[in-house]
Amino acid sequence: MAETLLKAEGSKKERYETLLPQIASLIENESDEIANMANVAAALMETFRFWWAGFYRVKGNELVLSPFQGPLACTRIGFGKGVCGTAWKEARTIVVPDVDAFPGHIACSAASRSEIVVPLFRGKEVAAVLDIDSEQPRAFDDTDAYYLERISRMLSRP
Ligand code: SME
């Protein structure tokens, strides 16, 4: 079945409010996590035109590149490395207003200026992270963290 995203307009909050129920209905009847991550990355990108939006999944002691939208990216990130590996290690959302000021930031793309990484869980364990990059500094705030964590909960497993 073809899926079309309703155009989200207005403030950041209004766009997330339009997007979230659509993401919920996109993923509710699909059990495959890769398929759901792929559509979530596409929906986020279509709505916000970020520089990069996608997932890394935990495999052993590394994060491995998974569905994304945007330019080519690093394929593997170690536990505690970069923003993604730190969000995994600390099991929490990390907002980075200025990537140059984050010690150990991994520059997959020199164009990225700010970033947010949100963990996805299987039980209490981090199973993956959602990573979003912007070419604008300070692009992400508590509103992004709030809504992206709601999206993360939709993709997380008990
Ligand atoms: N900047 C991330 C690496 C992933 S890319 O941004 C897609 C990091 O420091 O973990």
Side-chain angles (χ1 to χ4, degrees), residues 33-44:
E33 70 167 0
I34 299 286
N36 287 335
M37 286 176 173
N39 262 343
V40 167
L44 284 167

Side-chain angles (χ1 to χ4, degrees), residues 52 56 73-74 77 81-85 104-108 115 131 133:
W52 196 93
Y56 283 86
C74 328
I77 297 172
K81 303 292 182 192
V83 187
C84 292
H105 168 259
I106 300 165
C108 289
E115 181 164 358
D131 177 19
D133 288 66

